[in-house]
Amino acid sequence: MSEPAVDAEEVRHVADLARVSLSDDEVDAFAEQFSEVLDYFEALEDVPEVESEPDLVNVMRADEVEESLSQEAALANADESEDGFFKGPRVS
Amino acid sequence: MSHNAFITETDIAGDDSGVLDGRTVAVKDNISTEGVRTTCGSEMLSDYVPPYDATVVSRLKDAGATVVGKANMDEFGMGTTTETSAFGPVTNPVDDDRVPGGSSGGSAAAVAAGDADLALGSDTGGSIRCPAAYCGVVGIKPTYGLVSRYGLVAYANSLEQIGPIANTVEDAAELLSVIAGPDENDATTREEGADADYAAAATGDVEGLTIGVPTQLVGGRERAGDDPAEGGETRAGADEAVVEVFEDALDAYRDAGAEVVEVSLPSVEYAVAAYYVIAMSEASSNLARFDGVRYGTSGGYDGNWNESFAAAREEGFGDEVKRRVLLGTYALSAGYHDKYYKQAQEARAWVKQDFDEAFETVDMLASPTMPMLPPELGESLDDPLQMYLADANTVPVNLANLPAISVPAGESDGLPVGLQLVGPAFGEETIIRAGSLLA
């Protein structure tokens, strides 16, 4: 098998960026699968530059105040909340 | 209900009497239903109850429909067989040992099994058309911007659309009329679709229409590898069994007065790669919100927020979702962004250009919806790349933002084969008209 395009260290780095914990088995499996998939993506190198004029329209408008979700509804699915705030893990 | 098509059974009655009065609808479980669990087929959202209805759900209710269940699906829309659902796979009503297709497998199976008259699915790279083809029903992916995505849990927001699944083209068209049209809450919707009557176009009259068949998506009876001059180990065209049914269906169009010609779309050879780079990149961004704080499985409060979020996502996401989030993160990361993401956008522009040019000479394009017959359960799970290649015929349409319909074209060995018709932007009437010849 040729040298994999992605090794375990790179998988761990990307997992860190994406905030997803991985087991060692997962890291190894992904390294192999990612190499295969990224290898396939290499073909994109051959794509020619295309001149395109996207059909863009400015849809901006001034803000309008409307009704929104109640605080109660917004907090309803939170694992923990306190005094109308979402409660999350500590920052550091 | 059968085939594990539903994650949650419901009885949400319509508010008013309208065109869908008396009709039952299955709604894919990534579409928000107020007060009713919406899981996206994921452990991460197994307890999530939306505080609002998606626009399409409001429109269903206004039209008098009854929502009978939230349909099972590949997790977060990521899959082609509905085997990545955290709630178990869906089986194909036509053959219990086979997959119904994905990611809207539950929606298609519910309609095919008669558990719902109609269904809503979502299509990012073929997720309505694939299960429609594998289950022998009709599915429409609308032009990007025709149907509001407000309330659709995003996977790849520049590619996806909600669309109808039904037993006949006329029924699917009727449902499309109900959900289509501009929405204040979705800035990517367009004026088209307001007050539309798509069912009226279901005449089956194809006299004088020209149908283009992209050679790259059919491939004929030879498989790449037999003929060295053919080149390209990864694209073999469609399986012989599929092509036979497809060719017979084309004869039906010829007999009905349509002209069938060959066209070439060289850019589609790169479509799968471009699609997956873009979809995975958008997914990595769209799924970043699932950190367990405002909703979703919590990672606990022991560590700091990076550790807690990483734990929540390790627990809440299945393998395929992790794969795509990580690959998307990789494709966007420093040092790789130009090589993958930027190049994929170039490929996307090229695909759009190819389709635009083709529509200068033809009214619509036709191909088999899927390059193979429905696989057996479990067959597709070992090789992610092989599974991605199965989307070769459907993803170019999402890249080009165009409308497409899959209609049942016949069977091979008792298994359904779908024919896909692709129309120009907002040309739903044309593909509905032609599709209704077969269903």
Side-chain angles (χ1 to χ4, degrees):
Chain A
M1 194 175 102
S2 61
E3 208 185 288
V6 178
D7 60 20
E9 201 184 305
E10 276 198 280
V11 173
R12 286 202 176 88
H13 170 66
V14 170
D16 195 48
L17 289 175
R19 305 288 181 259
V20 180
S21 288
L22 296 177
S23 68
D24 288 336
D25 283 342
E26 280 177 308
V27 170
D28 289 334
F30 283 166
E32 208 178 302
Q33 289 165 358
F34 290 5
S35 297
E36 212 194 325
V37 173
L38 290 168
D39 215 41
Y40 178 70
F41 289 168
E42 291 285 321
L44 291 171
E45 253 175 48
D46 301 328
V47 169
E49 232 180 86
V50 167
E51 270 188 48
S52 58
E53 291 139 38
D55 203 10
L56 297 177
V57 173
N58 186 350
V59 296
M60 303 299 282
R61 60 159 171 77
D63 285 349
E64 289 162 13
V65 176
E66 283 182 12
E67 259 186 55
S68 180
L69 279 185
S70 69
Q71 188 180 67
E72 195 189 322
L75 291 169
N77 283 289
D79 184 61
E80 291 232 8
S81 67
E82 199 176 288
D83 296 336
F85 290 87
F86 287 110
K87 188 165 171 182
R90 63 178 196 278
V91 171
S92 59
Chain B
M1 298 218 184
S2 48
H3 308 285
N4 201 28
F6 292 99
I7 294 176
T8 305
E9 284 172 36
T10 62
D11 186 16
I12 308 170
D15 306 323
D16 302 294
S17 212
V19 296
L20 296 182
D21 195 23
R23 311 278 242 140
T24 56
V25 188
V27 173
K28 189 175 183 181
D29 211 17
N30 58 356
I31 297 172
S32 303
T33 39
E34 185 179 343
V36 175
R37 180 172 75 148
T38 298
T39 69
C40 299
S42 180
E43 207 45 65
M44 174 62 80
L45 294 178
S46 57
D47 296 322
Y48 173 66
V49 179
Y52 70 106
D53 273 335
T55 297
V56 296
V57 172
S58 305
R59 291 181 179 178
L60 278 184
K61 285 160 137 180
D62 286 345
T66 301
V67 178
V68 293
K70 302 305 298 296
N72 202 351
M73 55 182 284
D74 277 309
E75 194 181 353
F76 284 108
M78 303 182 190
T80 310
T81 60
T82 311
E83 288 175 293
T84 70
S85 170
F87 298 85
V90 175
T91 57
N92 191 325
V94 177
D95 180 339
D96 257 326
D97 293 323
R98 298 201 176 247
V99 303
S103 60
S104 311
S107 298
V111 169
D115 293 333
D117 297 321
L118 308 162
L120 287 183
S122 70
D123 189 312
T124 309
S127 290
I128 286 174
R129 294 163 283 156
C130 164
Y134 283 174
C135 291
V137 295
V138 175
I140 301 177
K141 178 207 103 58
T143 308
Y144 186 83
L146 185 72
V147 178
S148 171
R149 289 176 301 106
Y150 180 71
L152 170 68
V153 177
Y155 153 26
N157 46 315
S158 81
L159 292 163
E160 56 207 8
Q161 278 289 282
I162 294 173
I165 295 174
N167 281 301
T168 65
V169 172
E170 192 175 340
D171 278 354
E174 190 161 57
L175 179 50
L176 181 61
S177 297
V178 168
I179 59 174
D183 180 21
E184 254 185 10
N185 288 319
D186 178 356
T188 61
T189 56
R190 311 285 287 272
E191 280 311 310
E192 281 86 343
D195 305 319
D197 181 9
Y198 295 114
T203 60
D205 177 17
V206 298
E207 182 75 49
L209 290 180
T210 309
I211 301 175
V213 178
T215 50
Q216 290 86 356
L217 299 184
V218 182
R221 280 164 165 66
E222 280 134 51
R223 306 180 68 100
D226 288 350
D227 180 4
E230 209 71 37
E233 310 97 321
T234 47
R235 274 298 296 129
D239 286 354
E240 218 176 287
V242 167
V243 173
E244 243 179 84
V245 176
F246 175 68
E247 296 285 355
D248 283 345
L250 288 182
D251 280 338
Y253 281 100
R254 291 184 182 97
D255 290 344
E259 193 192 342
V260 178
V261 302
E262 261 186 16
V263 298
S264 179
L265 301 176
S267 63
V268 304
E269 304 281 358
Y270 300 87
V272 171
Y275 166 80
Y276 274 102
V277 169
I278 293 170
M280 288 176 180
S281 299
E282 292 185 7
S284 72
S285 171
N286 287 320
L287 271 67
R289 69 194 65 192
F290 299 111
D291 52 26
V293 177
R294 291 154 297 171
Y295 35 67
T297 48
S298 168
Y301 301 85
D302 286 340
N304 65 30
W305 63 6
N306 286 337
E307 290 158 353
S308 173
F309 294 170
R313 292 151 70 76
E314 154 76 325
E315 199 185 303
F317 290 157
D319 283 347
E320 187 59 38
V321 171
K322 282 180 189 150
R323 214 170 353 252
R324 297 195 192 192
V325 165
L326 293 184
L327 278 167
T329 304
Y330 187 91
L332 290 173
S333 64
Y336 295 110
H337 176 278
D338 281 0
K339 175 175 167 140
Y340 295 115
Y341 190 73
K342 185 163 165 292
Q343 278 307 109
Q345 295 291 23
E346 294 283 350
R348 185 171 190 177
W350 187 23
V351 169
K352 282 180 178 157
Q353 194 182 72
D354 256 2
F355 274 97
D356 283 344
E357 271 170 26
F359 285 124
E360 283 167 14
T361 55
V362 304
D363 295 303
M364 70 195 93
L365 300 164
S367 77
T369 307
M370 298 300 287
M372 71 271 273
L373 295 173
E376 283 176 5
L377 288 157
E379 203 184 304
S380 321
L381 299 173
D382 291 329
D383 192 341
L385 181 58
Q386 270 309 115
M387 180 119 96
Y388 300 160
L389 293 174
D391 293 336
N393 292 18
T394 49
V395 299
V397 177
N398 301 79
L399 289 172
N401 297 340
L402 297 173
I405 188 171
S406 179
V407 290
E411 286 181 352
S412 179
D413 266 343
L415 297 174
V417 173
L419 177 144
Q420 172 179 250
L421 294 168
V422 184
F426 301 104
E428 276 77 1
E429 274 100 340
T430 306
I431 56 175
I432 283 166
R433 190 167 134 197
S436 56
L437 179 74
L438 298 185

